[in-house]
Amino acid sequence: MIERVKKYLEEVNSFSSTDALTIEEFRVSYSGKKGILNTLFAAFREVPIEQKKAFGQELNILKNAVSEKIKELQSKLKSTGGKSSISDPTRTPFPIQTGNRHPLSIVKNRIIDIFSQIGFTISEGPEIEDDWHNFTALNLPEHHPARDMQDTFFIQTDPDILLRTHTSSVQVRYMEKNQPPIRTISPGRVFRNEAISSRSHCIFHQIEGLYIAKDVSFSDLKQTLKYFTESLFGNSKIRLRPSYFPFTEPSAEVDIYWGLETEVDYRITKGTGWLEIMGCGMVDPNVLKNCGIDPDEYSGFAFGMGIERIAMLIYQISDIRLFFENDVRFLKQFKGTL
Ligand code: DAH
């Protein structure tokens, strides 16, 4: 949380504009009724007592910086009569819209940041995969019924080649090339043939995580996930529910507590208050063996999450299609970083 306030402070201090509209947008985004300051002050209640003092101090610094900045910008504006002081006759008379990052990139970068801080590297693999890396090595041999969980796009002329259905394929590639200790996350696009409902989409984004070393236990997994969710969502509650994935044993699904205050909360959490955010588990010894790692010597955990799902939670977006329509009215709302 404090990190986030510091980031805002940097943003405020470096903000500069001579355009009345942009300055007004800046003012509303920080000091407006639903602006950043009010949101942070509301979140202050949730901050644990021992952090309240430090958090409160940072928050006040930010608040003062915002009001100083607005004063400074507005007085500059008055002195130039609201017009830019640059007299360049070739300049367009219209305010030029600057671009910003796509919300999925903002969320992905934040997740990468969080794991980088505890030593995870970033790895990538191909989107066009072979059967071995996407399925067989992950303990999903041919005809395994769990293959049906992920409707696959195959290349018509070669059934061995497909569009990867998950970023777990990168785990396999990484283990084939590296010996433990391994700490890596793999962001990327994945593909599933499941455009059957308005909520699903053929292309989406995942981040896979993998940690292999000596004596890694389930409690290491849980603690890592707790660190992650607290860094991303602030003070939050998670639970691990037993589940099944062929590549992990035991496996679990991770839920985050969302709340049950409004009708929407009831709808999206199906009346439970909990929302599933990822799958995880201890890497199955068969998978380690398939990738050339000795399961008697090493153990590890893996997890995988959909970036869309996380972004929808953070920004409270109810329709996944908005991410892919590229409507600038939607996209321009996501300024800055998380
Ligand atoms: N690959 C799974 C999926 O796409 C997600 C997942 C679950 C990844 C459990 C993992 C894991 O690494 O341990 O649904």
Side-chain angles (χ1 to χ4, degrees):
M1 273 304 244
I2 289 198
E3 285 309 300
R4 222 193 297 168
V5 178
K6 285 190 176 148
K7 269 212 182 116
Y8 283 133
L9 186 62
E10 262 171 41
E11 214 176 83
V12 169
N13 285 336
S14 59
F15 180 81
S16 160
S17 173
T18 48
D19 171 57
L21 204 69
T22 315
I23 294 171
E24 180 58 9
E25 272 179 13
F26 171 83
R27 189 191 66 76
V28 172
S29 80
Y30 274 92
S31 311
K33 219 167 144 202
K34 291 189 178 155
I36 291 166
L37 284 176
N38 276 346
T39 314
L40 288 172
F41 274 106
F44 183 72
R45 264 179 274 134
E46 315 283 332
V47 171
I49 282 197
E50 64 279 10
Q51 290 170 19
K52 269 203 157 66
K53 191 170 162 210
F55 186 77
Q57 277 171 351
E58 282 303 322
L59 211 52
N60 276 324
I61 295 176
L62 178 66
K63 191 177 155 198
N64 291 336
V66 170
S67 72
E68 281 301 309
K69 182 58 95 176
I70 292 171
K71 243 191 266 163
E72 174 199 318
L73 292 169
Q74 286 176 341
S75 74
K76 240 197 238 158
L77 204 59
K78 260 186 219 141
S79 68
T80 58
K83 289 190 200 81
S84 166
S85 53
I86 307 163
S87 56
D88 175 359
T90 64
R91 257 177 77 136
T92 157
F94 306 109
I96 300 171
Q97 299 263 358
T98 52
N100 49 275
R101 283 203 192 288
H102 192 283
L104 293 177
S105 298
I106 297 175
V107 172
K108 178 186 78 176
N109 290 343
R110 176 75 186 120
I111 296 174
I112 290 176
D113 251 17
I114 292 172
F115 282 105
S116 304
Q117 278 171 25
I118 52 171
F120 279 71
T121 61
I122 301 165
S123 49
E124 285 182 335
E127 292 174 354
I128 302 175
E129 249 314 349
D130 52 40
D131 183 285
W132 169 258
H133 292 95
N134 196 77
F135 289 129
T136 307
L138 288 164
N139 218 14
L140 275 148
E142 213 186 330
H143 306 308
H144 192 294
R147 283 195 179 200
D148 282 352
M149 283 157 73
Q150 304 178 352
D151 284 333
T152 311
F153 285 113
F154 289 96
I155 307 292
Q156 212 171 10
T157 48
D158 185 350
D160 189 46
I161 306 293
L162 45 87
L163 296 180
R164 68 176 175 198
T165 57
H166 52 185
T167 41
S168 304
S169 54
V170 189
Q171 267 192 40
V172 178
R173 288 188 175 272
Y174 198 87
M175 284 192 276
E176 285 173 342
K177 291 224 174 73
N178 300 277
Q179 278 296 310
I182 288 172
R183 264 180 292 183
T184 189
I185 51 166
S186 325
R189 276 202 300 186
V190 300
F191 308 83
R192 291 191 198 172
N193 187 9
E194 53 182 32
I196 36 166
S197 85
S198 63
R199 299 202 169 273
S200 51
H201 203 274
C202 291
I203 304 179
F204 54 101
H205 300 77
Q206 287 189 333
I207 293 192
E208 183 80 11
L210 179 69
Y211 180 52
I212 311 280
K214 287 201 163 115
D215 301 320
V216 180
S217 70
F218 202 88
S219 51
D220 296 320
L221 165 61
K222 191 170 174 197
Q223 201 54 35
T224 306
L225 296 180
K226 207 160 162 295
Y227 155 77
F228 165 67
T229 48
E230 278 173 9
S231 308
L232 189 60
F233 297 104
N235 217 359
S236 55
K237 213 165 39 165
I238 57 168
R239 72 176 182 192
L240 272 71
R241 236 178 333 102
S243 183
Y244 172 74
F245 298 100
F247 27 91
T248 42
E249 180 58 38
S251 306
E253 261 156 341
V254 183
D255 295 340
I256 187 156
Y257 191 68
W258 174 256
L260 267 185
E261 276 161 30
T262 66
E263 208 178 308
V264 176
D265 296 343
Y266 265 86
R267 186 163 51 78
I268 62 173
T269 69
K270 300 196 180 83
T272 64
W274 294 90
L275 267 182
E276 182 200 316
I277 53 166
M278 65 171 108
C280 67
M282 302 304 292
V283 178
D284 193 292
N286 281 339
V287 176
L288 295 176
K289 237 183 283 168
N290 287 340
C291 304
I293 292 177
D294 181 359
D296 294 327
E297 202 177 338
Y298 297 107
S299 57
F301 61 73
F303 54 85
M305 66 189 112
I307 302 178
E308 281 79 2
R309 166 69 65 105
I310 307 270
M312 287 168 86
L313 260 170
I314 292 178
Y315 294 122
Q316 311 213 2
I317 294 164
S318 58
D319 191 331
I320 193 170
R321 290 170 296 186
L322 286 163
F323 290 125
F324 304 99
E325 283 166 354
N326 287 336
D327 184 331
V328 283
R329 289 167 304 177
F330 171 73
L331 295 175
K332 75 177 183 189
Q333 299 174 74
F334 305 93
K335 292 236 159 81
T337 52
L338 269 178

